[in-house]
Amino acid sequence: MRRIAVTLCLTGILVACGGSGKKKETADEFVVRVNEELTKSGHEGAMAGWVQLTYITADTEALAAKAGERTQEDYARLIKESKAFDGKEISENDARTIKLLKFGLDAPAPDDPAKRAELSEIETRMLSVYGSGKYCPSGPESCKNFEQLGATLAKSRDPEELLETWRGWHAISPPIRKDYQRFVELANEGASSLGFKDVGELWRSGYDMSATDFEAETERLWTQVKPLYAGLHCYARAQLQEKYGKELVPDGKPVPAHLFGNMWAQQWNNIYDLLEPYPGTSNLDVTSELRKQGYDAVKMTRSAESFYKSLGFQELPQSFWERSMLTRPQDREVDCYASAWNIDAKGDVRIKVCINPTEEDLYTIYHELGHIYYDLSYIKQPYVYQSGAHDGFHEAIGDTINLSMTEGYLAGIGLIPKGTKSSREALINRQMKVASEKIAFLPFGKLVDQWRWGVFSGAIPPDKYNEAWWDLRRKYQGIEAPVARSEADFDAGAKYHVPGNTPYTRYFLSFVLQFQFHRALCEKAGFKGPLHECSIFDSKEAGKAYADMLALGASRPWQDALEKLTGTRQMDATAIVEYFQPLMGWLEEQNRGRQCGW
């Protein structure tokens, strides 16, 4: 036995040997190796994942599954090797890298190779089922993909057509249910091997605070913004009653989910025509102007790039334009869900999105470039640090830029008439439009992971998946399924992030942080007026402050990154309240005498 060990030492297979064998690896050396190995496997995994989602076939699905398995193996092995440094005196940098290793995967695999392969196959298959999902009411020639169904929800005001569309998309997810149940079992086994009770605890522990403290923190933030949502919901219900009648939208009850212009009723900006406080007072129809001026996917993306360049950020690399998928190809199945990709951790950045000349897609592309510029800002960091300070930061970067797309900015680039912001009525219209996206989203941003935390912990058993999903939708959003649902349905699975296993609390946090970032950047830019009027466009001072924070990546606790930009170490929703002060006062007046709540 001793002879075998010596042989392994001489061939360099063992990391540490006794006697005259290979020198024991230091923590510094281990961390260097971690970053080198994960850079390589991460690159391979990203390439395989990119091809799978931009060219969906059985072959690309299998290749992505194998690459995912390889990444799972690398993390499992390196985490196990990192235990050699438990209780040892090591540098702060080494300790942080080893800590972040545990949070590198949203679904850690079990130690068993067969189960690891099974988990990777299930994850890939769920995404393929979702990405290729279609509603075919009367045969293959009638099939509609998600983009087409989403467009119908956004434009139609026929409740029967809306209901059919909603039901059609939600019919794609029941086949995912069995895989998801098995996925939960396998991922929980992997989380347990890392010392966590379940995947939910793993996710909540990745915020430089305890899982318990993080759960309390999200509840505290929700408490700060809940009155804003309650006022908006009361007003929106009254407007929907005016359109559809109280029989469909009764007083004091949750509102049917299919009426909000969005498949999950998570944002209401598509029904702004119903919510607009002062019709005809201001022209905020950016979509019409985009089409009139011949904006296509590239021109819209160039517009977003020009904003970031005005702050002092670099031009996007040529490879971005050559390798991104900006429109839906006509010759193959693809997943059009917008996402940003840092392929090789060295500058190969790209986005996957199917852009149409609409206001919603314009904001989406400005948002996605926020991810890309974050990736480019921390490109000099080691691989493990090439991430957001926490995941909410990554989502907030581009949305912060969205807040600077004010009437002044949009008028400046010719997408709305100049002088749109000149009256109080126009201001309330604009605030309503922003609130229908930002405020309407907050409860949904919180409840998706509330559901998954319960699923992972077992508090929500498989035979209660759908019941619990709608309990949370009613509790937080005040929204109800438009038709009876049962456990034969799997409505959570009709949301990309569930089969895609993407933690969702990040979006809730980002909707708080973006206003906090916006306030700080406006101060850096020297802006003195109301927060809702500020645009940091062309401010090099704000751009430098932003870039300095982004360059940290995950190398420091998020509290350090937040303090660097804002001067405070606590997430704070008071900037949202400040931003929407005019609308809050107006809603209070409008809702007097109404039966609010649900």
Side-chain angles (χ1 to χ4, degrees), residues 40 60 118 198 212 268 322 360 391 423 501 508 527 533:
K40 184 177 179 181
T60 60
E118 182 186 5
D198 54 65
T212 301
W268 307 344
E322 294 167 351
E360 183 174 4
D391 53 10
S423 67
N501 194 46
F508 173 74
F527 184 80
E533 291 183 4

Side-chain angles (χ1 to χ4, degrees), residues 13 24 29 67 101 113 127 129 163 165 174 186 194 205 259 281 344 374 410 431 462 490:
I13 293 174
K24 184 180 289 189
E29 291 167 339
L101 256 183
L127 268 182
V129 171
L163 180 58
T165 302
L186 293 169
L194 299 180
S205 300
L259 301 178
T281 298
D344 64 354
Y374 208 166
L410 292 172
Q431 288 237 306
F490 184 46

Side-chain angles (χ1 to χ4, degrees), residues 32-46 70 74-75 78 342-346 381-384 386:
V32 169
R33 182 164 62 85
V34 162
N35 283 297
E36 289 174 347
E37 292 188 15
L38 292 182
T39 298
K40 184 177 179 181
S41 61
H43 185 197
E44 292 175 5
R70 158 91 187 274
D74 280 358
Y75 271 95
L78 291 168
N342 181 5
I343 297 289
D344 64 354
K346 297 176 183 177
Q381 293 283 0
Y383 182 87
V384 172
Q386 287 198 25

Side-chain angles (χ1 to χ4, degrees), residues 15 139 148 170 203 273 327 346 389 450 458 483 546:
V15 172
Q148 294 165 319
H170 283 75
W203 289 2
D273 59 306
T327 58
K346 297 176 183 177
Q450 291 284 116
V483 289
Y546 216 15

Side-chain angles (χ1 to χ4, degrees), residues 222 229 443 446-447 450 472-478 598:
W222 168 241
Y229 180 78
K446 188 174 189 300
L447 74 84
Q450 291 284 116
L472 288 167
R473 300 289 301 273
R474 283 187 290 271
K475 175 182 176 181
Y476 283 100
Q477 285 184 286
W598 54 86

Side-chain angles (χ1 to χ4, degrees), residues 269-577:
N269 47 313
N270 287 328
I271 61 163
Y272 175 70
D273 59 306
L274 302 180
L275 303 179
E276 186 176 20
Y278 299 103
T281 298
S282 55
N283 180 8
L284 298 178
D285 189 359
V286 173
T287 295
S288 293
E289 205 57 41
L290 289 170
R291 290 173 177 160
K292 180 180 175 183
Q293 296 184 32
Y295 271 78
D296 59 10
V298 172
K299 189 174 180 180
M300 289 166 70
T301 308
R302 289 288 188 189
S303 175
E305 180 192 34
S306 69
F307 194 112
Y308 289 90
K309 286 170 59 180
S310 82
L311 301 179
F313 289 96
Q314 68 191 74
E315 283 190 355
L316 293 168
Q318 183 59 30
S319 60
F320 170 89
W321 301 102
E322 294 167 351
R323 300 172 186 177
S324 290
M325 185 187 85
L326 299 180
T327 58
R328 178 183 282 276
Q330 298 303 307
D331 61 340
R332 62 188 190 269
E333 292 287 352
V334 301
D335 180 346
C336 274
Y337 187 84
S339 57
W341 295 65
N342 181 5
I343 297 289
D344 64 354
K346 297 176 183 177
D348 181 359
V349 292
R350 49 183 99 162
I351 57 173
K352 173 185 67 62
V353 62
C354 299
I355 300 174
N356 292 298
T358 65
E359 180 180 14
E360 183 174 4
D361 283 3
L362 184 71
Y363 277 82
T364 294
I365 198 64
Y366 276 65
H367 167 89
E368 292 302 327
L369 287 199
H371 291 296
I372 295 299
Y373 277 106
Y374 208 166
D375 292 337
L376 292 172
S377 295
Y378 55 52
I379 207 74
K380 294 182 180 179
Q381 293 283 0
Y383 182 87
V384 172
Y385 291 162
Q386 287 198 25
S387 184
H390 68 49
D391 53 10
F393 275 64
H394 232 303
E395 296 300 333
I397 303 309
D399 278 353
T400 300
I401 300 302
N402 286 162
L403 292 174
S404 280
M405 295 169 71
T406 59
E407 290 90 344
Y409 171 74
L410 292 172
I413 63 173
L415 290 179
I416 62 172
K418 293 186 183 297
T420 302
K421 63 175 183 176
S422 58
S423 67
R424 178 178 181 270
E425 289 78 10
L427 167 61
I428 297 302
N429 278 1
R430 173 63 177 169
Q431 288 237 306
M432 179 61 71
K433 192 163 192 180
V434 178
S436 68
E437 178 195 350
K438 303 292 186 181
I439 302 303
F441 176 82
L442 290 166
F444 189 79
K446 188 174 189 300
L447 74 84
V448 174
D449 280 352
Q450 291 284 116
W451 180 80
R452 282 192 289 197
W453 294 345
V455 167
F456 287 129
S457 72
I460 300 173
D463 64 351
K464 299 288 186 183
Y465 277 179
N466 224 46
E467 178 185 327
W469 174 252
W470 285 106
D471 283 347
L472 288 167
R473 300 289 301 273
R474 283 187 290 271
K475 175 182 176 181
Y476 283 100
Q477 285 184 286
I479 283 169
E480 179 65 275
V483 289
R485 311 303 283 167
S486 74
E487 293 306 322
D489 301 301
F490 184 46
D491 293 329
K495 177 64 180 170
Y496 171 87
H497 300 73
V498 174
N501 194 46
T502 303
Y504 210 76
T505 305
R506 63 181 61 182
Y507 301 102
F508 173 74
L509 297 177
S510 80
F511 274 56
V512 172
L513 285 170
Q514 62 191 254
F515 287 89
Q516 198 171 355
F517 290 169
H518 182 59
R519 182 165 62 186
L521 290 170
C522 289
E523 290 171 0
K524 304 287 185 188
F527 184 80
K528 301 299 183 183
L531 189 57
H532 56 266
E533 291 183 4
C534 171
S535 177
I536 63 167
F537 179 72
D538 214 22
S539 171
K540 298 298 188 294
E541 295 79 10
K544 184 180 184 307
Y546 216 15
D548 288 347
M549 181 186 77
L550 301 186
L552 292 176
S555 65
R556 302 293 307 161
W558 65 262
Q559 293 90 340
D560 291 357
L562 182 65
E563 186 176 29
K564 189 171 187 66
L565 178 64
T566 69
T568 179
R569 299 177 65 81
Q570 187 178 52
M571 291 182 285
D572 179 22
T574 59
I576 300 181
V577 177

